[in-house]
Amino acid sequence: MSQHYQHDVLVIGSGAAGLTLALTLPEHLRIGVLSKGNLANGSTFWAQGGVAAVLDDTDTVESHVEDTLNSGAGLCREDAVRFTVEHSREAIQWLIEQGVPFTRDDETAREDGGFEFHLTREGGHSHRRIIHAADATGAAIFKALLDQARARHNIELLEQRVAVDLITERKLGQSGQRCLGAYVLNRNTGEVDTYAARFVILATGGAAKVYLYTSNPDGACGDGIAMAWRAGCRVGNLEFNQFHPTCLYHPKAKSFLVTEALRGEGALLRLPNGDRFMQRFDARAELAPRDIVARAIDHEMKRLGVDCVYLDISHKDANFIKSHFPTVYERCLEFGIDITREPIPVVPAAHYTCGGVVVDQHGHTDVPGLYAIGETSFTGLHGANRMASNSLLECFVYARSAAADITAQLEQISMPGRLPTWDASQVTDSDEDVIIAHNWDELRRFMWDYVGIVRTNKRLQRAQHRVRLLLDEIDEFYSNYRVSRDLIELRNLAQVAELMIISAMQRKESRGLHYTLDYPEQLAEAKDTILQPRLGAN
């Protein structure tokens, strides 16, 4: 039997953004944090590189802002960039206070006898400003935040809970627009439960799983973006999907990202014959922004008809490699690749969703009571191309800002009344789940082929035609059969895929991560692509 639950704050997503918000809120609030799988299944855990922040005396806010604006190809919102960077130091200090074990620099002793934190450099950055925990920063941050959350009596961590849809006043036929809660599938019972909350936060991550090849875990299905769209929120800049240039190419290596920090420490990209090639594409060579590096690799692979290129750091001291990149070293060794002696075979893969649900500096969406933070959101920070390690920073800064905003409103917002139970009276158990598997595979393949690193009008038109057929099939299936995690994710992924395609078709230029052979030039005026739900997606 389905259950009803009440929380002051319902956080959908258990990664860096969701946990940060929960930990920053007052401890007298009852907070529910939903994870659709195990708590560690999100993207945060797998983040390797680190967090960009202005921490060194030789670095400045202005420099970090300028680097971000340059990487964003004219589409960053400067107020969002400045807001994020100006709050970077306090965000890092908060993480240190939570117990995150950032790597210290043994070579730089401070006057007080301690040690400075080690800062590395990544593509697009003009200074060393990436604070990290070896090459497993995400895992270190996640563990520290999870330990803190488990120690809080007011935070309820709920695993195997898959959000199906948001509950709004409009959907209930009421006069207002406020978000009142969510319907959530409990995978332990198979029932769809009802969660009422004074505030609902979408922290569900991105949608890179829409592509066949991705560095993301299986859950990155754009759930929050799709739910927000259905609830009446605008989305922005979904044509900008970042492809990480270097994912390990090996038949048994699923979704293993080779951190950009290797290139920051001198790793070189080489063709199968050993020649370097990045200097032919950009003066910054291996340290060029990710979109340039990914397109260069894609170009060389297609030009030569090869399956991969190679990332070589074997010219560095072996002890240096093992101490700075233990995760990459050990993981590659599992596949018979000793990175201290030989290069790593790499290919580009979908990595980060730069667009998302339109929000302001407090994480407000267009629906009152509903917030979006982290990769789910579109803040304007990343523009047309995310600069390395700004995304984790965005999670912490905007989660803390949203928490402060919620705290300021507590006295004005009361708990919703009892909400209607999920109606499953007209559905049956499916005996055709093969349809879900087939549609999932078809969607990800045509998105990779037609809406990938290089696009054309014809490819986008083909993708649009196919996604509309899939949406019709999925809608029919959703209306007649009991929901499952696979069906919910497929429904959301197809919806976000359509929004990505529409956004790409509206941009008649090449800018940042959106590159089309039909419009190779960049227009003089930079404009965001904002889609309005009331106009529909048809």
Side-chain angles (χ1 to χ4, degrees):
M1 181 177 292
S2 64
Q3 303 294 316
H4 283 74
Y5 299 94
Q6 287 189 332
H7 295 87
D8 292 302
V9 180
L10 180 66
V11 183
I12 304 175
S14 59
L19 290 178
T20 296
L21 182 134
L23 289 169
T24 309
L25 287 167
E27 291 192 38
H28 69 272
L29 296 180
R30 187 180 180 195
I31 302 166
V33 179
L34 306 183
S35 175
K36 67 177 178 178
N38 297 323
L39 288 166
N41 282 359
S43 295
T44 297
F45 184 85
W46 302 102
Q48 295 177 11
V51 188
V54 179
L55 302 169
D56 188 83
D57 290 342
T58 64
D59 196 6
T60 65
V61 167
E62 291 303 323
S63 177
H64 192 168
V65 168
E66 183 179 358
D67 289 345
T68 302
L69 293 175
N70 288 337
S71 290
L75 264 187
C76 295
R77 295 182 176 178
E78 187 168 352
D79 60 339
V81 176
R82 192 167 295 280
F83 174 76
T84 306
V85 174
E86 286 177 348
H87 289 83
S88 63
R89 183 184 288 267
E90 66 187 55
I92 297 302
Q93 184 57 46
W94 180 82
L95 289 171
I96 293 170
E97 292 169 2
Q98 305 312 304
V100 178
F102 290 118
T103 298
R104 293 180 179 271
D105 191 341
D106 295 338
E107 298 177 1
T108 313
R110 293 203 310 255
E111 292 181 1
D112 61 6
F115 295 95
E116 296 285 358
F117 291 106
H118 182 267
L119 302 176
T120 191
R121 182 181 171 191
E122 294 180 347
H125 291 274
S126 59
H127 286 78
R128 284 182 172 267
R129 62 167 69 100
I130 315 302
I131 190 169
H132 61 100
D135 63 345
T137 307
I141 289 173
F142 178 79
K143 183 179 184 305
L145 297 184
L146 184 60
D147 288 346
Q148 292 288 343
R150 282 176 168 156
R152 294 279 185 90
H153 69 280
N154 67 315
I155 297 177
E156 191 175 8
L157 300 169
L158 299 160
E159 295 183 303
Q160 307 300 332
R161 304 306 204 279
V162 186
V164 181
D165 252 331
L166 299 169
I167 305 171
T168 63
E169 291 174 329
R170 179 178 62 84
K171 287 188 177 181
L172 297 181
Q174 300 175 10
S175 58
Q177 298 289 327
R178 189 171 185 85
C179 185
L180 306 174
Y183 291 117
V184 178
L185 171 65
N186 183 340
R187 297 182 69 204
N188 300 310
T189 66
E191 298 289 342
V192 176
D193 298 326
T194 306
Y195 285 73
R198 296 160 72 186
F199 303 91
V200 177
I201 290 82
L202 297 171
T204 58
K209 204 66 183 180
V210 76
Y211 288 104
L212 184 61
Y213 302 110
T214 174
S215 65
N216 283 205
D218 288 342
C221 299
D223 300 312
I225 299 171
M227 286 190 291
W229 174 260
R230 292 194 292 265
C233 296
R234 291 171 298 158
V235 297
N237 284 10
L238 282 172
E239 69 270 35
F240 297 114
N241 300 286
Q242 188 172 64
F243 291 81
H244 197 287
T246 55
C247 284
L248 178 61
Y249 178 75
H250 190 281
K252 295 183 180 179
K254 181 181 179 182
S255 303
F256 183 69
L257 181 152
V258 179
T259 174
E260 186 163 349
L262 265 82
R263 285 182 282 129
E265 295 296 341
L268 303 173
L269 282 164
R270 300 186 186 278
L271 298 174
N273 67 0
D275 290 349
R276 292 180 63 195
F277 59 90
M278 274 309 305
Q279 69 278 6
R280 292 192 275 109
F281 293 88
D282 193 281
R284 292 164 288 188
E286 280 80 7
L287 290 177
R290 288 177 175 175
D291 62 323
I292 295 173
V293 179
R295 275 202 303 275
I297 294 173
D298 183 68
H299 178 273
E300 291 300 296
M301 286 171 57
K302 288 176 178 174
R303 181 178 71 86
L304 297 172
V306 296
D307 293 327
C308 65
V309 296
Y310 295 86
L311 184 65
D312 186 10
I313 198 170
S314 62
H315 52 281
K316 290 283 189 177
D317 178 74
N319 290 329
F320 172 86
I321 295 171
K322 293 176 185 178
S323 64
H324 279 72
F325 306 108
T327 304
V328 176
Y329 174 75
E330 293 292 341
R331 185 65 169 155
C332 287
L333 212 55
E334 292 176 13
F335 300 108
I337 303 165
D338 183 352
I339 69 172
T340 67
R341 298 173 177 270
E342 58 189 318
I344 308 166
V346 294
V347 292
H351 183 57
Y352 191 85
T353 309
C354 286
V357 183
V358 175
V359 298
D360 64 12
Q361 288 185 353
H362 300 294
H364 294 142
T365 69
D366 295 328
V367 173
L370 180 66
Y371 294 71
I373 53 177
E375 194 174 350
T376 303
S377 68
F378 165 58
T379 64
L381 171 64
H382 305 303
N385 182 24
R386 177 181 73 100
M387 188 167 68
S389 294
N390 270 350
S391 51
L392 278 174
L393 176 63
E394 180 185 44
C395 287
F396 307 125
V397 170
Y398 277 84
R400 287 163 56 81
S401 178
D405 187 77
I406 290 169
T407 303
Q409 296 184 63
L410 289 175
E411 294 183 4
Q412 288 82 43
I413 306 299
S414 58
M415 185 70 69
R418 187 174 178 85
L419 301 177
T421 301
W422 177 261
D423 183 7
S425 61
Q426 303 300 313
V427 298
T428 60
D429 290 323
S430 167
D431 58 358
E432 295 184 312
D433 281 356
V434 66
I435 294 174
I436 298 176
H438 174 82
N439 288 357
W440 178 276
D441 184 65
E442 181 182 350
L443 174 69
R444 297 177 66 215
R445 285 184 183 279
F446 74 64
M447 286 296 290
W448 181 262
D449 290 339
Y450 300 147
V451 200
I453 297 173
V454 178
R455 302 161 178 176
T456 66
N457 288 343
K458 197 70 174 177
R459 292 173 187 173
L460 294 175
Q461 289 165 5
R462 288 171 177 162
Q464 185 179 47
H465 174 70
R466 282 160 173 76
V467 80
R468 286 178 172 173
L469 292 175
L470 282 185
L471 282 168
D472 288 342
E473 285 186 18
I474 294 164
D475 185 58
E476 181 184 5
F477 199 93
Y478 180 80
S479 300
N480 290 288
Y481 298 108
R482 296 188 191 280
V483 295
S484 64
R485 172 172 173 169
D486 287 346
L487 177 57
I488 294 166
E489 289 185 334
L490 176 62
R491 180 184 182 226
N492 290 334
L493 209 60
Q495 178 63 81
V496 175
E498 184 187 36
L499 297 174
M500 288 177 175
I501 294 164
I502 293 171
S503 299
M505 294 177 80
Q506 288 190 9
R507 186 163 295 279
K508 308 297 186 184
E509 64 167 347
S510 289
R511 183 184 296 272
L513 300 167
H514 174 75
Y515 185 79
T516 170
L517 297 176
D518 290 301
Y519 305 100
E521 302 302 320
Q522 182 172 295
L523 295 176
E525 184 179 3
K527 291 184 178 181
D528 293 323
T529 305
I530 306 297
L531 302 185
Q532 299 273 0
R534 66 175 180 269
L535 301 177
N538 299 317

